[in-house]
Amino acid sequence: MTERLASDTAGLARAAEILANGGLVAMPTETVYGLAADACDDLAVARIYAAKGRPSFNPLIVHFPAQAIAQRYVRFNDDALRLAAAFWPGPLTLVLPLEQGAKISRLVTAGLDTLAVRVPDHPVAQGLIARFGGPIAAPSANPSGRISPTTADHVMAGLNGRIEAVVDGGACPVGLESTIVACDSAGPARLLREGGIPAEAIEACLGTALARPAGGAAAVVAPGMLESHYAPKGQLRLNAETVLQGEVLLGFGHVQGATINLSPAGDLVEAAARLFGALHQFDQMGAAKIAVSPIPEKGLGRAINDRLRRAAAPRG
Ligand code: TXA
Ligand code: MG
């Protein structure tokens, strides 16, 4: 059975104890719930892959309390220093070269010589990292290929009985995973995944354009970013201007007849925060066909569209 813990002192103490014993705890972050384990414990990390049913070549993000601690594990170049200063704590993950001898489980990096690191901006995640006292590996707390969880109920719907506990910290304010940027000295900084920080803001901070994968941001670059991902049970039809028979509508902006509207006001931040919750709701309703209103391809809209394209991709 999976324990549901409050995000108070006693709950965090229990969660830290579970982590120290090699167990798995889902924790809220500002982006989505993460499935946390001791990043230095091979067995604990292996249990993450098992609980998620995740292909083992897909590396994990490691969460730190502050940049100063992360610097013991990875090397920051000038771009990385600038981005960390501007956006940490917050929904930005940096892929950086591993320091030799860093005691991170090799399962975390799936054999790569880089490590994805992030400093979350959430009091519960920070409280748990502080109590545990070491780096925490945490992918999104969903079964592999399913929708990322933004509430403790979402976590339970996917992983109940497969993990030791979930700390209930309410709904995640950003609601989309972090933006991933590689600063691994193999040339200019590269955008690996759109996410909670718009690419424009990162480019403004760096003063140059980010390198992007050939084929645009929808191309698969981060290992394990499989085409069919974030998949709800129903079939999605994107950029729908009308609703066909048998479809429900996931609306955006001023549209009529939406079953769920991500943001009637057309606010992309609000839409991002609601996206995964809406897809979960359609799953619960048993919606088979979901039409989705067009979402503008700018700011967080790009990350929303990236997730929607993956959710709509043909299933293998
Ligand atoms: O917001 C987030 O980033 C959430 C919260 C829990 O922190 N975590 C998250 O983790 O979304 P996950 O595992 O679902 O996605 C991590 C992505 C994967 O696509 C993985 O392939 C990529 O990061 N990744 C991890 N390490 C990498 C590396 N060394 N090089 C390139 N991509 C990497
Ligand atoms: Mg994920």
Side-chain angles (χ1 to χ4, degrees):
M1 271 297 92
T2 298
E3 289 177 55
R4 192 187 269 264
L5 301 171
S7 59
D8 56 9
T9 311
L12 290 183
R14 172 78 187 124
E17 181 188 10
I18 292 169
L19 291 179
N21 290 326
L24 303 183
V25 178
M27 66 171 182
T29 79
E30 78 277 31
T31 57
V32 300
Y33 274 70
L35 183 52
D38 179 350
C40 302
D41 178 342
D42 288 329
L43 261 181
V45 174
R47 294 192 60 226
I48 291 182
Y49 288 109
K52 285 179 63 82
R54 180 174 215 179
S56 57
F57 50 78
N58 195 355
L60 307 175
I61 296 172
V62 175
H63 298 67
F64 290 93
Q67 182 192 339
I69 312 291
Q71 276 181 295
R72 298 177 191 162
Y73 296 84
V74 284
R75 282 196 300 282
F76 286 68
N77 65 14
D78 287 347
D79 283 348
L81 289 172
R82 203 170 288 140
L83 292 175
F87 299 110
W88 279 358
L92 173 69
T93 293
L94 296 174
V95 171
L96 304 176
L98 253 181
E99 286 287 7
Q100 277 192 357
K103 285 197 177 56
I104 296 289
S105 163
R106 287 189 175 203
L107 269 182
V108 166
T109 56
L112 300 174
D113 55 8
T114 53
L115 181 68
V117 296
R118 159 165 136 73
V119 176
D121 184 17
H122 193 287
V124 178
Q126 281 290 352
L128 182 54
I129 294 168
R131 271 184 180 270
F132 172 63
I136 289 183
S140 51
N142 51 283
S144 196
R146 309 302 302 190
I147 306 159
S148 291
T150 54
T151 67
D153 284 345
H154 295 163
V155 174
M156 285 301 236
L159 296 175
N160 192 5
R162 305 175 72 167
I163 63 176
E164 275 67 37
V166 54
V167 182
D168 189 346
C172 302
V174 175
L176 276 183
E177 296 89 344
S178 59
T179 302
I180 305 182
V181 175
C183 302
D184 52 10
S185 69
R190 286 171 293 136
L191 180 66
L192 300 188
R193 179 175 77 181
E194 304 268 11
I197 299 210
E200 291 95 324
I202 292 168
E203 293 180 328
C205 171
L206 292 177
T208 82
L210 283 165
R212 283 157 202 266
V220 179
V221 272
M225 288 204 66
L226 308 174
E227 264 306 327
S228 174
H229 205 71
Y230 309 98
K233 297 192 182 97
Q235 187 59 51
L236 265 63
R237 186 169 65 84
L238 306 185
N239 297 310
E241 301 283 359
T242 57
V243 183
L244 306 178
Q245 198 169 3
E247 286 183 336
V248 293
L249 177 64
L250 179 60
F252 177 83
H254 296 287
V255 295
Q256 297 293 313
T259 307
I260 300 174
N261 195 319
L262 290 173
S263 174
D267 177 344
L268 289 167
V269 174
E270 180 181 43
R274 286 189 183 163
L275 176 66
F276 290 136
L279 294 176
H280 277 284
Q281 249 176 285
F282 283 128
D283 270 0
Q284 275 155 18
M285 290 164 43
K289 294 183 174 182
I290 305 159
V292 185
S293 296
I295 315 274
E297 187 74 6
K298 60 168 202 228
L300 282 186
R302 289 219 294 249
I304 294 171
N305 283 323
D306 171 71
R307 301 302 186 274
L308 285 169
R309 279 191 293 269
R310 290 175 200 286
R315 317 274 156 83

